[in-house]
């Protein structure tokens, strides 16, 4: 009898252990310490743009994504993980970036994300790494010179889904209409085919588009401040601290400024020093 009790007790203990293990053996991605996992794998996974010249654009000749944010992500990765650290890039759009971060598909997103109070409720932001400002892109010679012209002419303003730009523009130009496309290539096609009179987003992005499309110019100055931050899951505070520290070091040792010069010093008309200013 005593033997049976002992057997039952040990059976229960094993069962208990199994239940306990299955409860904590597969912790949700959100609960993992991403920094620790990245140190182990020597890899950081970044959500980046592939549709924006100057920030992150896919070069189809060698299948590499290139831009300021790509280089900065690589530099931050090396700061955090050491010289052998590898940055892995996953393409995101304005619409997919937040859900992909929430799903744990990426560790952090550096993808022209403006730090807004609403977004700060959902994610943790790094310190600002680029001070963009919202502006307009129009066809050379257009009668639209600024956001107020668009309002007065009841024009249509183009943007992309997931960005805050069209909403912000309509708040200033309530008589205009908005049309949002999937990405910047499509928004540009819509501008060229006359579906709207202006494309709105951040000045740096628009200067990139004007380089690709010489018949189009950035106009009207900036009308909303768009400070960019690297977004991470709220609970990943060790990662956030490491990223912030890496940004401080890269500014101090001149690497940040070197990357700013590399990508922006040839862009006529763009006050990138202002954007890089802390
Ligand atoms: N920076 C703006 C935003 O975060 C617009 C640019 C974008 O499409 O990312 O909504």
């Amino acid at each position: 009898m005593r033997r049976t009790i002992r057997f039952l007790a040990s059976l229960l203990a094993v069962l208990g252990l199994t239940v306990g293990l299955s409860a904590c053996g597969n912790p949700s991605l959100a609960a993992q310490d991403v920094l620790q996992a990245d140190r182990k794998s020597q890899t950081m996974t970044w959500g980046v743009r592939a549709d924006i010249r100057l920030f992150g654009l896919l070069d189809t000749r060698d299948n590499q994504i290139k831009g300021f944010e790509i280089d900065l992500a690589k530099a931050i990765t090396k700061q955090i993980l050491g010289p052998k650290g590898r940055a892995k890039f996953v393409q995101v759009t304005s619409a997919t970036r937040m859900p992909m971060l929430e799903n744990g598909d990426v560790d952090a997103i550096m993808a022209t994300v403006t730090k807004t109070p609403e977004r700060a409720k959902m994610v943790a932001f790094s310190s600002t790494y680029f001070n963009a400002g919202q502006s307009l892109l129009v066809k050379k010679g257009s009668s639209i010179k600024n956001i107020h012209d668009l309002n007065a002419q009841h024009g249509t303003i183009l943007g992309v889904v997931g960005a805050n730009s069209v909403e912000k523009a309509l708040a200033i130009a309530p008589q205009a209409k908005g049309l949002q496309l999937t990405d910047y290539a499509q928004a540009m096609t819509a501008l060229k085919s006359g579906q709207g009179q202006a494309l709105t987003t951040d000045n740096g992005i628009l200067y990139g588009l004007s380089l690709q499309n010489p018949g189009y110019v950035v106009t009207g100055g900036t009308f909303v401040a768009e400070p960019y931050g690297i977004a991470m899951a709220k609970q990943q505070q060790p990662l956030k601290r490491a990223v912030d520290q890496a940004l401080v070091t890269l500014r101090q040792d001149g690497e940040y400024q070197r990357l700013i010069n590399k990508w922006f010093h040839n862009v006529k008309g763009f006050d990138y020093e202002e954007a890089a200013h802390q």
Side-chain angles (χ1 to χ4, degrees), residues 49 52 94 97 111-114 119 160 162-165 184 201-202 205 226 228:
R49 316 276 334 192
I52 299 181
S94 302
R97 58 194 174 189
T112 68
V113 185
T114 299
R119 289 174 181 162
V160 300
N164 56 8
S165 318
Y184 285 103
T201 182
D202 309 329
I205 301 175
E226 301 283 337
Y228 291 171

Side-chain angles (χ1 to χ4, degrees), residues 50-197:
D51 61 334
I52 299 181
R53 181 152 169 183
L54 300 176
F55 290 86
L57 185 70
L58 183 69
D59 185 340
T60 47
R61 288 167 303 183
D62 57 8
N63 224 23
Q64 300 287 312
I65 308 175
K66 296 171 185 169
F68 170 69
E69 292 183 328
I70 307 304
D71 283 353
L72 189 57
K74 284 181 188 162
I76 293 173
T77 302
K78 298 252 183 267
Q79 280 295 323
I80 295 177
L81 301 180
K84 290 213 180 102
R86 206 171 67 88
K88 190 174 144 198
F89 296 116
V90 176
Q91 296 181 26
V92 301
T93 65
S94 302
T96 63
R97 58 194 174 189
M98 292 299 181
M100 286 181 79
L101 181 65
E102 262 164 43
N103 284 345
D105 297 332
V106 293
D107 302 335
I109 39 181
M110 174 143 48
T112 68
V113 185
T114 299
K115 295 158 72 166
T116 65
E118 305 82 60
R119 289 174 181 162
K121 285 183 197 149
M122 320 281 293
V123 299
F125 278 116
S126 71
S127 61
T128 300
Y129 66 87
F130 196 83
N131 279 297
Q134 190 176 341
S135 192
L136 298 178
L137 185 76
V138 297
K139 201 177 161 87
K140 240 182 216 162
S142 165
S143 60
I144 308 278
K145 303 284 181 226
N146 57 47
I147 185 80
H148 305 295
D149 291 342
L150 204 74
N151 195 47
Q153 295 182 28
H154 296 212
T156 295
I157 190 152
L158 303 162
V160 300
V161 180
N164 56 8
S165 318
V166 167
E167 188 190 325
K168 292 265 168 77
L170 292 180
I172 301 171
Q175 302 197 76
K177 285 180 287 295
L179 177 61
Q180 299 189 99
L181 291 302
T182 316
D183 59 26
Y184 285 103
Q186 287 192 31
M188 197 61 221
T189 305
L191 181 64
K192 285 180 169 171
S193 66
Q195 289 182 65
Q197 291 69 51

